[in-house]
Amino acid sequence: MVITKPIIDIVNVVASATIDQELDLNDITKKFPDTEYHPEQFPGLVFRLKNPKTATLIFRTGKMVCTGSKSSDLAKHAVKIVVQKLRKGGIKIKKDAVVTVQNIVSSINLGGRIHLEKAARTLPRSMYEPEQFPGVIHRMVDPKTVILIFASGKLVCTGAKTEKDVFRSVNNLHSMLEEKGLMIYD
């Protein structure tokens, strides 16, 4: 029996930011024609970057939401680039953005299969309704995350605020699955 180390891939970091001032989104749209702004459908303007590949929603209030980055540092960097571009384009922004990571979503491969029925019965704070969803929904308390567990040994971890929390959650769950004999290795 070979126990493998989980392969963890951060797929999306969602960060909020604020520059603490009102913005004229119509003015930004005129100066940055590549942005998307349809106020009749959604109150935010979408400012996309190619590097790092992200989309930042900008609201009239000066609040922003950056999605799509692969790390907390890249999310913070993307917001900084957006603010720099706005300034270079003639948008007066007094303060630098204050960025807070809200959610990290990661995809994990444990390298073996999982007994879902047994996992749902054995792991605390777990729910399994196969006719509604093909995985076990497991809520961790520390760190506070939600992990979707699939029979294939693949997981999705969401709700973490730091990369360290992702690794801690996954490693804690993997250890529990191992200890309780819920992993199957071919």
Side-chain angles (χ1 to χ4, degrees), residues 52-72:
K53 191 173 190 300
T54 55
T56 300
L57 301 174
I58 303 174
F59 297 92
R60 176 188 55 74
T61 58
K63 292 195 183 317
M64 301 178 194
V65 177
C66 177
T67 62
S69 81
K70 304 291 184 201
S71 75
S72 299

Side-chain angles (χ1 to χ4, degrees), residues 95-131:
K95 297 180 181 172
D96 288 337
V98 177
V99 182
T100 309
V101 172
Q102 298 296 336
N103 185 20
I104 298 175
V105 180
S106 27
S107 164
I108 299 97
N109 186 346
L110 295 181
R113 294 190 330 271
I114 300 167
H115 285 288
L116 290 187
E117 298 274 342
K118 284 185 193 170
R121 285 194 307 271
T122 312
L123 299 173
R125 296 169 312 283
S126 292
M127 190 173 86
Y128 183 48
E129 294 180 30
E131 54 285 339

Side-chain angles (χ1 to χ4, degrees), residues 132-153:
Q132 291 190 8
F133 184 71
V136 171
I137 301 167
H138 176 67
R139 297 180 188 285
M140 291 204 105
V141 175
D142 181 32
K144 191 171 189 269
T145 58
V146 174
I147 300 181
L148 306 177
I149 306 169
F150 298 97
S152 63

Side-chain angles (χ1 to χ4, degrees), residues 4-39:
T4 58
K5 205 172 166 207
I7 298 166
I8 302 172
D9 183 28
I10 293 173
V11 293
N12 187 20
V13 175
V14 178
S16 63
T18 184
I19 53 166
D20 210 20
Q21 75 179 61
E22 297 260 321
L23 292 169
D24 181 344
L25 300 184
N26 288 316
D27 189 31
I28 294 172
T29 305
K30 284 178 195 143
K31 291 177 176 167
F32 296 90
D34 286 351
T35 60
E36 296 165 35
Y37 183 47
H38 307 286

